[in-house]
Amino acid sequence: MTPEKILYTAEMTSTAGRQGTSSRPDGSFPLALTIPKELGGPGGEGTNPEELFAAGYSACFIGALKLVGRQKKVSLPDDLKVTAKVGMGPVPTGYGLTVELIIHLPGVESALAQEIVEGAHQRCPYSNATRGNIDVTLTLV
């Protein structure tokens, strides 16, 4: 699905792959990248593409939850949170990803919370980008 109009473009430049760095083109917001021990790397300080994807997806999904809440005229709690777990493993052509979004909407009635989560999953840009490509599990707790 291609947007009718691009409202914002994020840009990061990476060097040296999973054991390198990423930063904005002007050099600000530098990130050290490290290969996790589970993937044969040293682990330690730094982040990795899967953690960055998890951070982006979880933050974006909160925005979608708030949008759906506003549309339904439901006040969502300030302490709502989404945890994204991004898994990586082998597939016949290389490696693939899975995602679990764990959604906490304290104080919101269960059926209404489920409606909001499903609506957010239809609207979130990350959900739209992954649909049909990555298995995404939504877990409402």
Side-chain angles (χ1 to χ4, degrees):
M1 172 181 331
T2 303
E4 296 173 16
K5 177 181 175 185
I6 301 300
L7 301 175
Y8 170 74
T9 300
E11 185 176 350
M12 295 289 280
T13 300
S14 297
T15 59
R18 288 180 165 272
Q19 198 63 30
T21 62
S22 290
S23 66
R24 292 182 180 136
D26 66 2
S28 67
F29 193 61
L31 296 169
L33 302 176
T34 274
I35 301 170
K37 287 182 181 181
E38 296 87 345
L39 297 178
E45 299 221 5
T47 190
N48 60 65
E50 294 73 34
E51 288 176 339
L52 294 170
F53 186 74
Y57 201 160
S58 59
C60 190
F61 202 83
I62 288 173
L65 289 168
K66 289 179 176 182
L67 171 67
V68 174
R70 282 192 306 275
Q71 290 173 337
K72 292 186 170 292
K73 300 188 183 341
V74 174
S75 180
L76 296 182
D78 290 337
D79 59 347
L80 76 87
K81 69 179 180 178
V82 174
T83 300
K85 293 183 175 184
V86 175
M88 186 175 90
V91 297
T93 57
Y95 291 90
L97 300 175
T98 61
V99 174
E100 180 183 13
L101 297 178
I102 302 164
I103 302 113
H104 300 264
L105 291 172
V108 179
E109 188 270 322
S110 180
L112 178 58
Q114 189 63 45
E115 264 183 58
I116 292 169
V117 167
E118 289 170 9
H121 193 46
Q122 294 305 309
R123 289 165 180 79
C124 175
Y126 279 73
S127 293
N128 287 328
T130 59
R131 191 168 289 114
N133 298 309
I134 296 175
D135 289 335
V136 176
T137 301
L138 304 174
T139 304
L140 181 59
V141 293

